[in-house]
Amino acid sequence: MQGYDKHAFEPFAVTVDLAVLTIRAGALHALLVERGQEPYAGRWALPGGFVRPDESAEDAARRELAEETGLADVSGLHLEQLGTYSDPDRDPRMRVVSVAFAALLPDPPEPHGGGDAAQARWLPYAGAGPLAFDHDRILADAHERVGAKLEYTCLATAFCPPEFTLGELQQVYETVWGTALDRPNFRRKVLATPGFVEQVPGAARLTGGRGKPAALYRAGGATTLHPPLLRPTTEGLSS
Amino acid sequence: MQGYDKHAFEPFAVTVDLAVLTIRAGALHALLVERGQEPYAGRWALPGGFVRPDESAEDAARRELAEETGLADVSGLHLEQLGTYSDPDRDPRMRVVSVAFAALLPDPPEPHGGGDAAQARWLPYAGAGPLAFDHDRILADAHERVGAKLEYTCLATAFCPPEFTLGELQQVYETVWGTALDRPNFRRKVLATPGFVEQVPGAARLTGGRGKPAALYRAGGATTLHPPLLRPTTEGLSS
DNA sequence: TCAAAAGTGTTCGTCCTACACCCATGA
DNA sequence: TCATGGGTGTAGGACGAACACTTTTGA
């Protein structure tokens, strides 16, 4: 640990990769870009890019998120660091260390390739692979992380528009977890957690064309969920 | 995203920082090194170092862990990526992106500075700060992460020697969480989780000099804890 | 015989689960 | 009037919190 010398070490490129998730038509979708050149030409990949000299990885991720989605304001979107992928061989061209992020957004606006990348598209999570580089693993890690955080945080509202019904909120859980939930119990659980959601007074909306109009809710101030909303026995043990 | 050019971007240094935690004398301790030079000369810092060209961040972290603790075999220790800290100003000398790891180990052997760094020492977690760079935040994030993972994983055994008593396991929880737990209930909870611990047949050990000898247990094969062992109401809400 | 620590039993309340049932709306 | 989805009620069981109690050791 003698004095730093900018050339005492092999230079690393530092990038960000984004696992941008949303729920469309009852299925989990991810935002992907098609690679035009080698390596992995023609394969789908997570959007991402270099971290610039004057920004943090978080800054870079939000910048890329805005560029790739084409959204004017991404400041309210949930963006969370997933982890860093640093295998020496993950990019055959050179040493690239990538900080991966998961981003969650509500109703999916069709993206336009406003940024430097090729056209980005929403593809169903199931059957999206195989992706370029180690992006299959990053995307799977993002799914796993989000699924786990639904249990003990109020994250689910990040998938919903500003005003949503409890049925839509439940669909978030069911889609990410891939399981069905009991509606009455889900409803009670959510409403019993102070600050998870708050009702929009007097508002209601029809959902499936038919049926009773559903009351509308907004995300509340709470971030954690005590007690947690556990997904039905992932593994075959107790309870 | 034209072809990569090794000089098209500002070079980044990539390092690892380690939050090495243990429990000594009923208190959480962290392994720290004293800085000899500016910046932050004389301050304590987390051990760490550069990621080498041919290794991943995980490789580098385990290598540093061996060097700093002086342990011959660190392959069994719990080592987990915490996150990446990439604020452009976090190191005044140059752009350093650091991948932080949390490591957990049982009974603390006094480290010798076998590596390149100055003597590393175990300091109590409480009152360790202020540390150099953003290491206060990294260390706090490690504590928070470990505390949270105790709830829903079998991580606590990583703080224990190969054979331990349930009382010692309970001390891990109480020390990390800073709360007292009911012994009978803790015991039942742990034993009711298949694969959390398995009893060493016939073995027993005196703990406090007095009292009934405690049965010894080994870590089991399970990694997750269903249902979770929640810490007593962190925040003042439901239940 | 006392203190200390391990280990067992029991009670009581709360939460979760599972259903059955009613309400409002469009076709 | 029927299908569809929102919303309420309720009985039973599992689980956790609290605490009394027994057991085994060293002093």
Side-chain angles (χ1 to χ4, degrees):
Chain A
M1 204 175 278
Q2 70 288 4
Y4 279 31
D5 174 355
K6 291 203 184 198
H7 304 290
F9 48 86
E10 182 85 359
F12 286 70
V14 178
T15 63
V16 292
D17 283 318
L18 268 60
V20 188
L21 300 175
T22 195
I23 289 169
R24 157 183 272 188
L28 192 64
H29 283 64
L31 190 66
L32 297 172
V33 296
E34 192 170 10
R35 288 187 56 79
Q37 20 183 313
E38 293 298 335
Y40 302 105
R43 291 270 271 278
W44 294 96
L46 299 179
F50 288 106
V51 176
R52 295 180 180 164
D54 60 338
E55 66 184 3
S56 67
E58 280 73 14
D59 294 337
R62 203 165 285 279
R63 174 175 54 73
E64 291 286 342
L65 181 60
E67 291 175 6
E68 304 286 351
T69 61
L71 292 175
D73 182 20
V74 295
S75 62
L77 299 181
H78 179 86
L79 184 67
E80 164 177 340
Q81 194 188 118
L82 258 187
T84 294
Y85 297 77
S86 61
D87 190 274
D89 306 316
R90 62 182 295 278
D91 189 318
R93 291 164 297 186
M94 65 169 300
R95 189 65 202 267
V96 179
V97 168
S98 185
V99 186
F101 289 81
L104 270 41
L105 47 132
D107 190 59
E110 196 57 44
H112 69 285
D116 54 354
Q119 178 79 1
R121 288 187 52 197
W122 291 104
L123 292 189
Y125 175 87
L131 304 180
F133 306 107
D134 51 2
H135 291 186
D136 280 311
R137 197 178 137 219
I138 297 177
L139 187 56
D141 288 350
H143 184 199
E144 171 53 33
R145 169 80 67 94
V146 170
K149 289 197 83 167
L150 288 188
E151 290 192 328
Y152 56 95
T153 71
C154 300
L155 190 63
T157 55
F159 279 109
C160 296
E163 300 193 343
F164 52 87
T165 70
L166 292 185
E168 289 163 354
L169 189 67
Q170 183 175 348
Q171 264 217 1
V172 171
Y173 278 86
E174 295 183 329
T175 302
V176 174
W177 287 351
T179 60
L181 298 176
D182 183 84
R183 188 157 36 78
N185 294 335
F186 177 82
R187 166 185 200 77
R188 261 187 297 267
K189 178 74 185 177
V190 169
L191 296 180
T193 303
F196 191 175
V197 298
E198 53 189 33
Q199 190 167 0
V200 180
R205 190 213 309 158
L206 276 162
T207 53
R210 276 178 294 285
K212 182 174 176 177
L216 291 176
Y217 294 83
R218 260 193 283 270
T223 55
T224 58
L225 214 48
H226 267 285
L229 204 158
L230 300 177
R231 48 189 143 179
T233 330
T234 312
E235 330 176 28
L237 34 82
S238 59
S239 98
Chain B
M1 204 176 280
Q2 71 290 5
Y4 278 31
D5 174 357
K6 291 203 183 199
H7 304 289
F9 49 86
E10 181 84 1
F12 287 70
V14 177
T15 64
V16 291
D17 283 318
L18 268 61
V20 188
L21 300 175
T22 195
I23 289 169
R24 160 182 269 187
L28 192 65
H29 283 63
L31 190 66
L32 298 172
V33 296
E34 192 169 9
R35 288 187 55 78
Q37 17 182 316
E38 294 297 335
Y40 302 105
R43 291 270 272 276
W44 293 96
L46 298 180
F50 288 106
V51 176
R52 295 180 181 163
D54 60 339
E55 64 184 5
S56 68
E58 280 72 15
D59 294 335
R62 203 165 285 278
R63 173 175 55 73
E64 290 286 342
L65 181 60
E67 291 175 7
E68 303 286 351
T69 61
L71 293 175
D73 182 19
V74 296
S75 62
L77 299 180
H78 179 86
L79 183 68
E80 163 178 341
Q81 194 188 119
L82 258 186
T84 294
Y85 297 77
S86 60
D87 190 275
D89 305 317
R90 63 182 294 278
D91 189 317
R93 291 165 296 185
M94 65 169 301
R95 189 66 202 268
V96 178
V97 168
S98 186
V99 186
F101 288 81
L104 270 41
L105 47 132
D107 190 59
E110 195 59 42
H112 70 285
D116 54 352
Q119 178 77 4
R121 288 186 53 196
W122 291 105
L123 292 188
Y125 176 86
L131 304 180
F133 305 107
D134 51 4
H135 291 186
D136 280 312
R137 198 179 135 219
I138 297 176
L139 188 56
D141 288 350
H143 184 200
E144 171 53 32
R145 169 81 68 94
V146 170
K149 289 197 85 167
L150 289 188
E151 291 192 327
Y152 56 95
T153 72
C154 301
L155 190 62
T157 55
F159 279 111
C160 296
E163 299 194 343
F164 52 87
T165 69
L166 292 184
E168 289 163 354
L169 189 66
Q170 182 175 349
Q171 264 216 1
V172 170
Y173 278 87
E174 294 183 329
T175 302
V176 174
W177 286 351
T179 60
L181 298 175
D182 183 83
R183 189 158 35 78
N185 293 334
F186 177 81
R187 167 186 200 75
R188 261 187 297 265
K189 179 74 186 178
V190 169
L191 295 180
T193 304
F196 192 174
V197 298
E198 53 190 32
Q199 190 166 1
V200 180
R205 191 209 313 153
L206 277 162
T207 53
R210 274 179 294 287
K212 184 175 178 176
L216 291 177
Y217 294 83
R218 261 194 284 270
T223 56
T224 58
L225 215 49
H226 267 283
L229 204 157
L230 300 176
R231 51 189 142 180
T233 330
T234 313
E235 330 177 28
L237 35 82
S238 62
S239 96

